[in-house]
Every structure is written in structure tokens, then in C-alpha cells.
Amino acid sequence: MKRTDSEIIDVCLQGRTEAFGVLVARYQDRLYNTLVKVLGSADAAQEAAQTAFVQAFHRLTTFQGQSAFYSWLFRIALNVAITEKRKQRRMVASVENVQATTGHEPIDQRRDNHPSHAMEVEESQRLVRQALEELPLEHRTMLILKEIEGLSYEEIAQACQCPIGTVRSRLHRARQELKEKLKAVMQSL
Amino acid sequence: MNARLPEDWVSAYYDGELTPSERVEAERQLQASPAPRAELESYRRLSVMLNALPADAAPSELRHAVMLQAERSSLIPEAKTVRPAATASGREAGTRSARRRQSAGVLVAACMLVAATLLVWNKGPRHNGPRPVNVPNGLATRTETAPEASSLATADRPSAKNAVTNETPAGPYMGIVSNKAAFSGDGITNGAIEQRNALVPEADMAGGMVRGQSLSQAVKRQMLQNPQILGQMFYYFPSDDDRVAVVEMTVIDVRKSAGQLQVLLSRHAVERTPAISSAHDEESEPSPTTDDARGLDELDGVAPSAGAESNGSTEELVAVFVQATPEQLAATVRELNLDSGVVDFSLHPPLQANVDQLASGDSQVWQQLDDSLSRQAPEDSALADVTADEGDERSRAGEAANDRDRSETGEAKLKASRRQKKSRAADVKKLAAKNTHGRPDAPAALPAASLPSQEQSHIDGETAIALKPGETRESLNFDTADLARGIRARSSYQMILPVPEARNPGQRGQKAGSNRSIARSDSSSGQQTQSLALKMKSSDDDAIEAQKPFFALEEAVVVESQRKAATEPMNAEGTVITPDLGEVKVLFIFTRPRTAIEPSSADESNNAENRE
């Protein structure tokens, strides 16, 4: 039977610290995927994810269970990422870098095996990544949380520790900016 | 029409985040005007593009790295940036300022620690004015031996207790100074303060310095985090000695780490020897995250034991005997630390053992090993025999002596320490029993050696060792975590060592006890130097006599200090070249961490408050 996050946390707090590994396994892909897109770098995402998990481990006693564990974890990860981002000022990350470090080949969503189509998809994804990276961090973060994570405004507000109104206005601006940057690509869709 | 619709309504409508009344209004506007409809369509396309991005799966090693780092940092107090108890204040918003204050405090303490550490590492040149070019950079740390310090698994052996002597260990280039440093539960005595202040500028001592922070642990963390440094300790083991160094490695998975050690040794052309496990399955309990049980199953001469793997409750010792050059050992340990992570380590006094028998896992030798370890750890044996031994006279005497200075927290820690010792002693016995092929008549416990009591071993005053030309002594007295916990510490040591600086081809192959001679002679051509800090522990006089010139190193650190010689350039690689020594004999004992998350009573109460 699959244990709930809360049960696992209780087990951890009783001294069975290895149980935390279950939570890591449960959320590492989700967190890492989001962080790669927020940070634009696989290495930075891995580092941030690792640091976030470790910080969560040490702060387990402060987790109140009012929000989902993942929201809480992501908030920690976001703080880590923002801190790191500020430290670095400008992260050197390119689309090529991300692809090189993650080793991901573009996925052809329409399962069209035509080589030229695959190249088009790849190019499209490259442009989307590039456009995302050019967005301000706070706009990019909220857009990814909404579009990829599927969080509600309230959950985004919790994760980013800002008012819901701010989430709404930033999401709007993020979409406007991204739309402008991807005008050419969008026309081809 | 569209102008009447606030800008972000379309976006919010697309996300389904409008209120019902807003939605009605938005839909009316959408029907009336094509512009918002186009905008809505553009958002849909954006969503398609964003969700078409490939999902990035976390690297496979992430989980392992997280657990390793989490365990490490929970075992090394300084690594915890935020203590749960301090942050567990409940209301999110209301605690923000408190967290800031706490973070600031942690930051200040961390900065002080780092500053003080750097100060010590670089103290020589700044305080002594122009340093002679050829002065070896012997760095010594003053460390206090806490009677029953249990901050980490390293202090389990009672041989680390306060059997203090002013006897100078052999070795022309090694000196020891024992200083009185009688610490009270609340801090340190004037003598210690004076000594400390003499070494650390007042500015760095402000605010109680790093009470609660242990330089020793910080240095140890440096070592553990820098595998290059960790391996350097093997260069200080004598190679012409028939005794066997005992290095205890605390790792997450003893079997896996021991297996990795053997693999790595093979990779470095070191002959394999059988590994011995003392696994037992008491207190076994299913784990929700039972990790893979790889490891010793694949090893030579080791039968897997049920319930021994990956169980936080299981205490298991695995020993591997190695005879190799320091370079081989350093490289092996470096890779071991990189691969599986060494949570902690400690060095025990060397053993007298027949190497051939030891290498073959001969039962008699393993019995001897048990014997030796038990002699070194008399309380282990005693405690292992009878659980009620806490009431015996010796324990009572020791407790009575310490009770004055012990806080309640200190007592709790000490009791926990004793429990750990019991477990450790039981492990040692099982280790021996296993390797005597389960011989039922094998001695269950060995008589405790007659270590002097703490009072007997205490030395007042100082014994200063004159430094030879070219030697330096740098030291630091520090308030440690043990002291902050109110545990009494009685003695301190300084060890002075010249440091190996550069290989001298003319002296290759020279055997020690000349290793220190090499270091000394090489120091004259040093371009880049290292500093070695050693925490020494002593037992009674006989033990010290027996340990000459090996002595008992509890921890060692080589700190790179990049100092240019005036006459010769730094080597191109920027690495320190160490003297070439003969083979040394090391018995690696792998143990699991003793503690993980240890919520204090305060933690628990806060936790209870804050859990819903």
C-alpha cells in the first residue's frame, strides 16, 4: 500500500530517516523537470533539487501539512534557485547546453517520423526554451508552474510567496512577452 | 469594447481563475469582440508549445546524493544551517522575522567559524611577520578530549578519554604539548581563554565565538568534503612498523562501502584480502525504503547476513585489512569518499597483529583483534557484558566527577553515548565470534584494561616542547560543541609536525620511521606546503609507550596552504607532492552512522506544537 506523504514524514520524524528517500523518489522527477525549465540548466537544476531536498529533510519538523508536501518542497527549491540565480547574476545556459546536459532528444509529439518534421519540432522546442530563458525569472517561474506544473493561482502564490493578484498580472505579462518572442513559431502552428 | 476589459482578465479567464461574475462578463466580452478571442487562442498555442517540451527526468544519482548529504549534514552539526527546533514556530508569516534573526545568527556564527578557521590556517605568516622560506608549516590544533563526547561516532572508544600524559612521543620532529584546560560545563576556564585569546584576535572572539560550533568538526567536515585531503593521512602512518593502523569509516551502507573499497583497492593494484562482517540481525525492522542490498555479497570470504543491509537499526561492523602504499591508500580512500561517501572517520590506536594471519582472516588473529580493541576500549567490553554496569563503581566515580559540570542535556548525551558503546562492544564481540567460526567457547568479553581514572590521568600545568629549527607550532584553542553541551573536557594537546612538501627523488624508498625525516629534509625545498592538524588522544602511559612512534591519531587534516617559496616556483599542477613511503598496514572498519535526525527535546515539543 502506498503511504501518504504525511505518513512518510511521520516515519522520518520517528527516526527512520531513510524513509525520506521515498519522498525523494516520489518527487525528484517532477521537481527536477520544473527546475530545469526555470533555471535553464540541468546542472543548476540538479544542484537546486538536491539542496532543496536536503533542506526539506532538515526542516521536516516545521512542515505543518497545511499545504501539499510538494508545494512546500517547491517553495524551498525556488528559494534555493532564486538565491543561486542572484548569486550567479546571469546564468550561462543555452538551449544547446540544456540539451547537451540533459541528453534529451526532442520528442515528436505527433509521432511523425518524417525527418524534416522532426527537425522542425526540434527547432521549435529550441526557440521555446530560448524564449523562456529570456523571460524574467519571476515571470518564467510562474508561467512554468501554471503551464507545466498545472498549479492554481493560489498554489503558485504560496510557492512564490506573493499575492494572488501578483500571480495573475505576472502570468499575463509572461504570456504577452512569450507570445511576442514566439510570434513566428506560433504562426506556424 | 475590449478596452473595458482589464488586461489580465483574458489570461485569468484562460486559467479558469475568474470569479463567476467576472467570468460572465469576460464571456460577454469575448463574444462581442474578436481581439480577446485571438488573444485567448494565442494562449492556447503557447500552452501547446510549452507542454511539448520534453520532460527532464532527474539524474539517477540524485536520490542517493540527497540521502548521503542529508545524513552527513545531520551527523555533522555545523552542516545544519537551520535547526528544526529554532524554526518550528508555527505560523508562517509570524515567524518570518524570527527566521531572519536566526538566519543572521547562523550566518554570523558561520562567518566567525570560517574566519577563525582561515585565521588559523593562515596564521603563521600574518602573525610571525616574514616567515622563513624553509619553515615547515606544522599546524597544530588544540583539541580537548571530552570524557564522553558523543558528538559523532568517532568518540565511542573510551581510549579517547582523558588519560592524559605529558610524555613526549618519540620522533625527532614530533612534539606534544599537553595543556591544562579544565573546562567547566558552562564554558572554558581562564587558562583556556587566555590560551585561546593568545591565538585568536579579540575581534574574532566576540560574541562568545563559536560556542556550539566545533572547529574540530568543521575541520573534519573539510576533510570529508575534500577526498584529496582525507587520503593524505596515510602518509603519516609508519611503514616500517609491524603494527596495524585501525581506521574506522562511518558510512551509510557498510557492506556496499566495504565492497567498493575492495574493488577500488584492486583497481589500484592492491592485493585483496577477505573482508569480515559482524552482521547480526537484532532489532531488525522492515524499512520503507529498503535500498539495494548490494555489497559484500559479492566480496571474497564474506557470507551475506540476513537483515544486515540497509537497516537503520542494525549495527554491523565490516573490516578489511589492507597493506598498501600511502599513495594507493590515499587514492583509494579518495575514490571511496567520492563513490559512496564517508560520513565520518576516526583513527584508533594501532594493533599488534600478525599480518599474514590478519590478511587471511585467521580466526586467532581476529580474536586477537577483538582482544586488542577491547583493551583499547575497556568500557566497551564492560558495558557489553552487563547492561546494569552503569552502576558500577568506576562508572559512578566518573559520573560523580562529571556531574558537577554536566547539564541535563549533557547527561542525556552521555547516556546515549553509553548505549552506543554497548552496541559497539557487542559488535566487536560478534565480529570476533564470527571469525572464530562461531566458536562457542570464544571469550565473550575481555577484561577491561586498567586505564587510569580521569582524575589520575589529569595533568596540571603545561609541558612545552621546544621546537627545533625550522619547525613551527600553530595552534588554536576552541570552544567546542561538546563544551557547549556542558560536557567536561580536561585536557588539550598540541601536536607539532613538519609537513611533507615535495618529493625528494634522492630519498625515494626511504623507510620510516624516517617518514618524518623525509618530511623534514624535504621541507627545505618546499614550494607549496601543507599543514597537518592532528588531534591526538592518549591512554595510559603503557599504551603510549607501546604506541611509539605511532601514537594514536584521532583525526588528521592536511590543509593546503599555498605559500610560495622565495627561491623556487610553485609546481605546475599546484598539487602537493608527498613523500614516497613504504607500505603501511591498515585495518579499515566500516560502521554505520550512530545518529541521524536527533530531535532534541525542544525539537520534539516544538514539533508537537506545530504538527497539526
Side-chain angles (χ1 to χ4, degrees), chain A residues 10 58 64 66 147 153 175, chain B residues 11 15 47 73 84 90 611-612:
Chain A
D10 286 341
H58 289 305
Q64 299 176 40
Q66 287 173 342
E147 294 285 355
Y153 282 11
R175 283 177 167 135
Chain B
S11 176
D15 291 330
S47 292
S73 52
R611 299 287 296 174
E612 292 177 342

Side-chain angles (χ1 to χ4, degrees), chain B residues 338-379:
Chain B
L338 287 172
D339 285 353
S340 60
V342 177
V343 175
D344 196 8
F345 72 95
S346 59
L347 278 78
H348 297 279
L351 299 172
Q352 289 284 358
N354 182 310
V355 171
D356 292 334
Q357 289 178 314
L358 191 61
S360 64
D362 183 273
S363 60
Q364 289 183 347
V365 175
W366 285 106
Q367 183 56 49
Q368 183 189 354
L369 168 64
D370 176 50
D371 197 353
S372 301
L373 289 174
S374 299
R375 269 203 299 272
Q376 289 163 16
E379 287 192 359

Side-chain angles (χ1 to χ4, degrees), chain A residues 3 6 9-13 15-22 24-25 28-30 32-33 36-37 46 49-51 53-55 57-66 75 98 102 104-107 109 124-126 128-129 132 143 146-148 151-154 161 164-165 168-169 171-172 174-176 178-179 182 185-189, chain B residues 7-15 17-18 22 38-39 41-43 45-67 69-71 73-74 79-85 87-92 96 99 285-291 310-313 592 596-597 599 603 606-607 610-612:
Chain A
R3 296 189 186 213
S6 181
I9 290 167
D10 286 341
V11 171
C12 281
L13 293 173
R16 300 287 298 277
T17 54
E18 70 274 17
F20 190 74
V22 174
V24 178
Q28 61 178 0
D29 284 346
R30 187 176 170 189
Y32 176 79
N33 179 45
V36 167
K37 290 171 176 62
Q46 183 177 353
Q50 183 171 334
T51 306
F53 274 121
V54 173
Q55 288 192 7
F57 175 82
H58 289 305
R59 298 179 190 176
L60 267 188
T61 54
T62 69
F63 176 63
Q64 299 176 40
Q66 287 173 342
R75 189 160 66 235
V98 171
T102 59
H104 278 294
E105 291 297 323
I107 295 173
Q109 298 289 327
S124 168
Q125 289 175 348
R126 188 186 69 80
V128 172
R129 283 190 189 272
L132 267 178
L143 193 59
K146 182 66 215 173
E147 294 285 355
I148 295 176
L151 300 186
S152 67
Y153 282 11
E154 186 180 358
Q161 295 179 302
I164 289 179
R168 192 161 90 173
S169 61
L171 267 174
H172 169 70
R175 283 177 167 135
Q176 292 295 322
L178 196 63
K179 194 172 70 173
L182 296 172
V185 182
M186 289 175 71
Q187 284 172 355
S188 69
L189 282 177
Chain B
E7 271 190 341
D8 60 3
W9 275 34
V10 178
S11 176
Y13 175 79
Y14 177 70
D15 291 330
E17 294 278 354
L18 292 179
E22 288 173 334
E39 191 174 353
E41 175 61 16
S42 69
Y43 292 164
R45 291 183 182 181
L46 278 179
S47 292
V48 169
M49 287 193 291
L50 288 170
N51 283 285
L53 291 174
D56 298 297
S60 57
E61 71 272 15
L62 179 62
R63 179 183 168 189
H64 177 69
V66 167
M67 296 309 292
Q69 189 180 345
E71 290 234 24
S73 52
S74 61
K80 287 185 181 180
T81 53
V82 181
R83 288 286 299 158
T87 55
S89 53
R91 295 175 304 280
E92 189 76 17
R96 212 173 275 176
R99 278 194 216 134
E285 191 180 343
S287 160
T289 56
T290 303
D291 278 317
S310 303
N311 187 326
S313 303
R592 272 186 57 82
I597 292 182
D603 289 341
N606 278 325
N607 187 29
N610 292 306
R611 299 287 296 174
E612 292 177 342

Side-chain angles (χ1 to χ4, degrees), chain B residues 276-342:
Chain B
I276 309 294
S277 169
S278 70
H280 54 95
D281 55 3
E282 64 189 22
E283 297 177 20
S284 75
E285 191 180 343
S287 160
T289 56
T290 303
D291 278 317
D292 49 358
R294 301 183 306 272
L296 285 192
D297 298 16
E298 303 163 5
L299 295 181
D300 300 341
V302 179
S305 59
E309 304 88 10
S310 303
N311 187 326
S313 303
T314 300
E315 300 296 341
E316 180 183 17
L317 293 179
V318 174
V320 178
F321 172 72
V322 180
Q323 184 165 2
T325 66
E327 283 166 334
Q328 289 170 317
L329 286 167
T332 300
V333 168
R334 179 174 64 242
E335 290 169 25
L336 179 70
N337 197 18
L338 287 172
D339 285 353
S340 60
V342 177

Side-chain angles (χ1 to χ4, degrees), chain B residues 14-28:
Chain B
Y14 177 70
D15 291 330
E17 294 278 354
L18 292 179
T19 63
S21 59
E22 288 173 334
R23 174 176 285 272
V24 169
E25 176 63 18
E27 284 172 350
R28 193 180 67 79

